[in-house]
Amino acid sequence: MTALALDIGGTKFAAAAVHADGTIQARSEVLLSGYGSPEEALAAVVGQITARVPEEDLRAVGVGSAGPLDARAGTVSPVNIPSWRGFPLVKALGELLPGRGARLAGDAQCMALGEWWRGTPRLRHSRAVLGMVVSTGIGGGLVLDGAPFLGPSGNAGHIGHIILDPDGDPCPCGAAGCVETYSSGPNMVRWARANGWAGDDAKALAVDARRGLPAACLAFARAAGALAAAILTASALFDLDNVVIGGGVAAAGPILFDPLRRAVARDARLGFQRRLRIEPTSLGRDAGLLGAAALVLPGDRPDA
């Protein structure tokens, strides 16, 4: 069986045809900024896959989307994509690919599921995995006792909107002082520029942090501290074994992971929290696509 997997992030929209063994047959990716409406972006990315894979071979559709979302209604309202607020994604997919079953989850939930399913083999033995996407926004997802934990509305794991400081900077979600206001790429850049850095984006910030520029290094240290607080909060709630982090900011590598691990080690006061292992994604951008496919594929997957 082959599934169509969709992964909707803050700036990019990816799709792939994925077989039941996790093999990716075809993939495509578009920038959301290149399309005037979600319908146009959806038609473009699905069309790129069906041009290479017979439409009749795509038997089901799994979707990971930036959130929040309403899994029961099949709608998405990504915090960082205003034009997609309230978009009836499942209905639109049904019009493009009639007769397929579609299942919807958060993009970071799918990333966690993809890592559990086809990532580092030892994760398959972990009872509590937190996956995080640190990019334009910050998402999270949980795989507990071998099954994705989505919650009643489909929004479990929204770790980027843990509030660290109620009097902090405003967040696009409407609250203030969320983890995302410290640790997302755009907010790291904003803070660094306010503190003397003259660069343009998160990639340039990472380059300058590697060079040792103080404002860039401090931006990563500040982001890592906020992520550590969120991870330890989740650990206290779910007794985590492993944390796997992907996304554009996570691609910066040691300049994020080194201060993050130090902060977790410093602030982990409960004995069970000290066993936490924090690592980057082993699957890169494929993690979210594989997790989205795993939502609907039969066989060797967590909740089969």
Side-chain angles (χ1 to χ4, degrees):
M1 178 176 174
T2 302
L4 175 65
L6 303 177
D7 183 13
I8 304 166
T11 58
K12 297 177 181 178
F13 187 177
V18 182
H19 298 303
D21 64 357
T23 303
I24 295 178
Q25 179 179 350
R27 77 184 74 213
S28 66
E29 185 175 289
V30 301
L31 290 173
L32 292 174
S33 60
Y35 298 89
S37 70
E39 290 87 355
E40 291 176 6
L42 187 64
V45 77
V46 170
Q48 289 176 13
I49 297 297
T50 55
R52 298 158 63 190
V53 178
E55 188 174 315
E56 59 270 20
D57 289 353
L58 301 172
R59 305 290 298 279
V61 183
V63 185
S65 175
L69 53 85
D70 187 331
R72 290 167 294 194
T75 59
V76 297
S77 296
V79 167
N80 293 295
I81 321 175
S83 64
W84 284 63
R85 302 279 170 81
F87 178 51
L89 179 58
V90 171
K91 179 182 177 183
L93 280 167
E95 293 171 354
L96 283 174
L97 297 169
R100 275 72 169 181
R103 190 175 179 193
L104 174 63
D107 58 343
Q109 292 168 335
C110 289
M111 178 265 190
L113 182 55
E115 288 288 342
W116 192 94
W117 184 40
R118 285 292 181 261
T120 305
R122 63 177 179 75
L123 286 182
R124 292 301 297 266
H125 304 290
S126 174
R127 293 188 60 189
V129 178
L130 169 67
M132 297 180 69
V133 175
V134 184
S135 189
T136 306
I138 295 178
L142 295 155
V143 178
L144 304 178
D145 288 327
F149 180 73
L150 306 181
S153 69
N155 289 289
H158 245 70
I159 196 168
H161 298 287
I162 289 175
I163 295 173
L164 300 180
D165 179 5
D167 297 318
D169 292 335
C171 179
C173 76
C178 295
V179 174
E180 192 166 296
T181 67
Y182 293 83
S183 307
S184 72
N187 281 305
M188 289 172 65
V189 168
R190 176 189 55 78
W191 185 89
R193 289 182 62 85
N195 285 272
W197 182 66
D200 296 323
D201 57 27
K203 288 184 179 179
L205 188 67
V207 169
D208 283 348
R210 293 189 192 98
R211 294 171 54 202
L213 270 66
C217 291
L218 286 171
F220 272 92
R222 181 175 181 266
L227 291 173
I231 287 168
L232 288 170
T233 297
S235 176
L237 289 170
F238 296 104
D239 193 11
L240 299 174
D241 297 315
N242 297 88
V243 179
V244 186
I245 305 178
V249 174
I255 59 170
L256 177 69
F257 282 91
D258 288 352
L260 173 57
R261 291 184 178 116
R262 287 195 297 269
V264 168
R266 179 193 67 217
D267 296 336
R269 302 299 181 184
L270 302 173
F272 67 87
Q273 292 179 314
R274 298 191 184 108
R275 78 172 193 278
L276 265 177
R277 296 188 63 162
I278 299 171
E279 57 197 278
T281 172
S282 63
L283 297 173
R285 291 184 180 179
D286 288 346
L289 290 168
L290 288 168
L295 292 171
V296 294
L297 286 171
D300 183 22
R301 61 184 178 86
D303 58 346

